[in-house]
Amino acid sequence: MFLRELTVPVTTLRGVGASLMRTLSGAGLGTVAALLTRYPRDWEDRSRERPLRDWTGGPVCTTVTVLAHDWFGYGAMKTLKVHVEDHTARAVLVCFNRPFLEKQLPPGESFRVWGKFFWKYGELQSSAFEIETARSAGGILPVYPLSAGLTQHLLRRLIRQALDRYAPVLENEIPLDIAAVRSLLSKAEALGSIHFPSSAEALEEAKKTLIYEELFYLEVMIGRRLTARRGTAKPLGGSPALSPLQRMLLDRLPFTLTPGQEKVLAEINADMGSGVPMARLLQGDVGSGKTLAAFLAALRALDGGKGPDRTGGAQAAIMAPTELLARQHAENAARLLEPLGIRPAFLTGNLKSAGRGRLLAALAAGEIDIILGTHALFSRDVIYRNLALVIIDEQHRFGVTQRQAIIAKGGGPAGKPGIPHLLMMSATPIPRTLALTVFGDLDVSVISGIPPGRKPVRTHLAKESNAERVYDFVRKELDSGRQAYFVYPLIGDEQAGEDRPGGGTEDPEGLKNAVSMAERLGRDIFPRHPTALIHSRLDDEEKRKTMEAFRSGKIRILAATSVVEVGVDVPNATCMVIHHAERFGLSALHQLRGRTGRGEEQSYCFLIYSEPAFSGEYGTPPEGSNLEGRQRTPSGLSGEGKQRLKVMLESNDGFVIAEEDLKLRGPGQIAGIEQSGYLKLGIADPVRDADTLLAARKDAFAMLERDPGLLLPEHRLVAETLERAPPFSEVGM
Ligand code: ADP
Ligand code: MG
């Protein structure tokens, strides 16, 4: 029998009646299988002695002798105190509600006690102590995550009982040959030892086995997904050669592709000519030129499915997470692609009905070749004639369901849906191990290197009190014709009044905001240089105008929130000044810095921090919508804030920064992954267990290759994961 088949209710265990059953079911522990897979969150090692004298170091675990009894309180409150000593000290066991201990622990008796002790009323006391029974003596005990109505004692008792009864009939789930090669325990042994290990070594073995098992199932699922998409046939490598439209574009560009772009382009072309849908994740640091790679991929798609006049041809959709970025892409597409006879269009959520209707009709009729936009691209009423390629820029900004919705629009000629090619792009590199779990069924390309002639951005730290010196520096850059961004954590300060000290540019916590700083920058600090303001609450038309003015150089200074974080490309901007930088996450800081260094001039990034960040006094940012985007950091992270700034000073490399981010925040927090659902593993952690993950992947893929149809007992967790996130290939088929 497999563990997941133990669906018998816990009422089959001794001592579980109707009311306890309700409590257990409420905690998700209604079946024996659920109970046995409630793995401990920790273990108490009671095999290690800790005498009374060392009570400050953790729970005491020692043999004591009873010296005397006494009582305090009256009536129902009457409570026994048992005075004991071990070889190091004396202490008192306060026996609330345990009067029966009077008989069990007579003076002169010795026994082992385990519990936390505190110094109270001039004596060393414990009231939450346990007396060891023969069964648990010297062992390592599980500590379970609890919920209302459950106790450690109860769960230990029930799980012990379930193990005694069912472990002997449990079947192994990992194929035997693999278990032998990887020296894994049997399922029964592993389960027994994860709950009640006989030693620290046994616990490690059990963890190793269960972690492997979980990752093995995950990789089997990913492998299946891959075959579902590709079919069992191996894709024929398509030709990496340039398509006609691609050649036309490249001939018109004033520069040549970087080696990184060339490599990626060859991979994309090979994929798109291989006869199976492409599913590729393209990672490239900020400024590495991903937009161009996207346009070239789109051209390949158009070349792949068109007649000479391009009517009825293939279409490509390019989706970006913000209006600002989508518009920038659309403008670039118009500039670069229209001269080739391509018909691009821009679809935003704000397009009014008549225009929208016309655009949608043209799209459905195949009169638009490339459509660019935000998630409006997959509104219900958007119909494509022949969507052959979906490109998702800054893909980590989208949730899994959004990605799938647009893929589901894909297809061959209208009415005959198929799976479109998929290219996801990200400048927030996903560390390799995470990529294998979250995007384990995708091929991954990396654009390494940035276009030649660029100088790495120089990063400086400055105290808020030294901001004037930063302004002086920026003024010189502005005077010599460059442009600058100033970024603030807050949009505006609703409560700020003119009468407030600092002229309302700071909130009660001393945080500067974009609205009032835009005024100060323009009026007091840089009166000779035109300044504008941009943040997410402005309407789109205003945002568009402002960005255009900044791009064309009419505006020299942009006071902004982190809306400018993604994608914005203005090569003449050489200064990025980030106020309260300690409040921004690493990936946001790296993205913001990446707005500069896009031209040939030397660029500069100033990270201005408020001093409290370095004395550990920083509190939580105020609640409410006044904070823009993702830079909100919880309280108590001042040490982490400092760490982030240090990383920024030391590295310009997005991959290094992503790894550091992972270390600082843990995998669950990495942008775009938290909503993906893939990481809700039980006991495994793909980062910590990276080696196991790679081994499991290798084994799982090899096994699927030998026997693609092989059925394994589906693991509960993996089955749930599948439900949460259907594979790309199942959508739109
Ligand atoms: P990102 O990878 O951050 O999306 P972009 O696509 O915005 O980067 O490109 C950054 C800038 O580099 C753009 O101004 C683009 O025109 C320019 N660029 C792209 N490829 C090259 C190249 N091969 N040589 C020179 N400049 C390039
Ligand atoms: Mg980009």
Side-chain angles (χ1 to χ4, degrees), residues 480-502:
S480 60
R482 311 276 160 264
Q483 290 165 279
Y485 299 95
F486 284 81
V487 174
Y488 304 92
L490 302 176
I491 297 178
D493 184 359
E494 277 71 22
Q495 304 102 47
E498 287 303 309
D499 52 352
R500 284 258 312 276

Side-chain angles (χ1 to χ4, degrees), residues 255-258 261 284-292 328-329 335 393-394 425 427 447 451-452 454 567-569 571 594-595 598:
F255 48 73
T256 54
L257 293 184
T258 66
Q261 286 170 319
D285 211 345
V286 268
S288 59
K290 290 182 295 295
T291 317
L292 187 56
Q328 180 179 284
H329 286 341
R335 185 168 56 84
D393 193 16
E394 307 287 348
M425 308 200 295
I447 298 190
R454 304 250 185 98
V568 173
D569 182 42
R595 293 314 114 216
R598 293 175 161 255

Side-chain angles (χ1 to χ4, degrees), residues 463-728:
K463 278 190 206 161
E464 186 66 53
S465 53
N466 284 336
E468 286 300 332
R469 288 174 49 196
V470 174
Y471 298 154
D472 290 344
F473 185 95
V474 174
R475 193 172 294 114
K476 286 198 196 106
E477 283 288 300
L478 293 166
D479 288 344
S480 60
R482 311 276 160 264
Q483 290 165 279
Y485 299 95
F486 284 81
V487 174
Y488 304 92
L490 302 176
I491 297 178
D493 184 359
E494 277 71 22
Q495 304 102 47
E498 287 303 309
D499 52 352
R500 284 258 312 276
T505 56
E506 294 185 354
D507 84 333
E509 263 193 287
L511 285 185
K512 290 192 158 55
N513 68 75
V515 171
S516 29
M517 281 307 292
E519 232 180 277
R520 253 197 79 199
L521 289 171
R523 195 184 51 206
D524 307 332
I525 306 176
F526 305 113
R528 282 181 292 117
H529 300 284
T531 302
L533 166 71
I534 195 155
H535 58 72
S536 63
R537 289 212 211 121
L538 297 178
D539 69 48
D540 291 324
E541 186 52 22
E542 211 171 332
K543 271 190 258 181
R544 188 189 66 76
K545 280 196 186 135
T546 304
M547 275 321 292
E548 188 167 322
F550 189 62
R551 202 182 314 271
S552 72
K554 262 190 243 128
I555 298 288
R556 315 302 295 183
I557 298 161
L558 203 53
T561 59
S562 56
V563 277
V564 293
E565 174 188 329
V566 269
V568 173
D569 182 42
V570 179
N572 189 47
T574 56
C575 294
M576 169 59 71
V577 182
I578 307 172
H579 278 269
H580 306 289
E582 75 281 358
R583 301 228 156 194
F584 291 77
L586 258 182
S587 93
L589 290 173
H590 181 60
Q591 291 279 337
L592 286 169
R593 179 169 62 185
R595 293 314 114 216
T596 62
R598 293 175 161 255
E600 310 224 313
E601 305 298 329
Q602 179 64 52
S603 288
Y604 305 88
C605 174
F606 297 94
L607 304 171
I608 301 190
Y609 62 90
S610 333
E611 284 83 337
F614 287 81
S615 63
E617 298 164 355
Y618 235 86
T620 317
E623 284 297 328
S625 58
N626 200 23
L627 280 161
E628 180 93 274
R630 295 184 284 132
Q631 86 284 3
R632 265 197 70 174
T633 51
S635 61
L637 285 189
S638 51
E640 216 188 287
K642 181 178 174 176
Q643 200 56 38
R644 287 193 293 261
L645 298 185
K646 192 161 161 270
V647 172
M648 287 296 292
L649 275 187
E650 285 167 1
S651 184
N652 256 317
D653 180 334
F655 285 80
V656 172
I657 290 174
E659 294 284 351
E660 292 297 325
D661 204 18
L662 186 66
K663 275 190 221 149
L664 285 172
R665 292 195 300 169
Q669 304 294 310
I670 299 294
I673 289 178
E674 65 271 27
Q675 342 93 306
S676 73
Y678 285 78
L679 286 187
K680 305 233 167 51
L681 294 167
I683 189 171
D685 171 341
V687 176
R688 182 195 61 200
D689 307 321
D691 294 343
T692 313
L693 176 71
L694 291 174
R697 183 176 173 92
K698 192 162 155 245
D699 294 347
F701 279 39
M703 188 195 72
L704 285 174
E705 187 143 327
R706 278 198 307 277
D707 184 0
L710 182 73
L711 284 179
L712 289 164
E714 289 297 297
H715 193 288
R716 181 177 62 89
L717 287 162
V718 171
E720 278 172 16
T721 306
L722 260 174
E723 256 163 51
R724 270 195 297 272
F728 295 124

Side-chain angles (χ1 to χ4, degrees), residues 23-87:
T23 308
L24 288 167
S25 300
L29 298 175
T31 68
V32 170
L35 197 60
L36 287 178
T37 48
R38 173 63 59 97
Y39 298 138
R41 66 170 163 77
D42 201 359
W43 292 263
E44 285 167 6
D45 189 353
R46 300 191 182 182
S47 58
R48 194 161 300 145
E49 284 278 326
R50 189 193 305 274
L52 286 169
R53 187 184 50 205
D54 296 342
W55 62 276
T56 48
V60 163
C61 185
T62 185
T63 302
V64 294
T65 306
V66 178
L67 300 173
H69 292 176
D70 83 66
W71 298 81
F72 66 98
Y74 295 95
M77 302 293 285
K78 200 169 161 204
T79 299
L80 171 67
K81 284 169 79 173
V82 178
H83 295 260
V84 298
E85 73 175 355
D86 73 354
H87 61 289

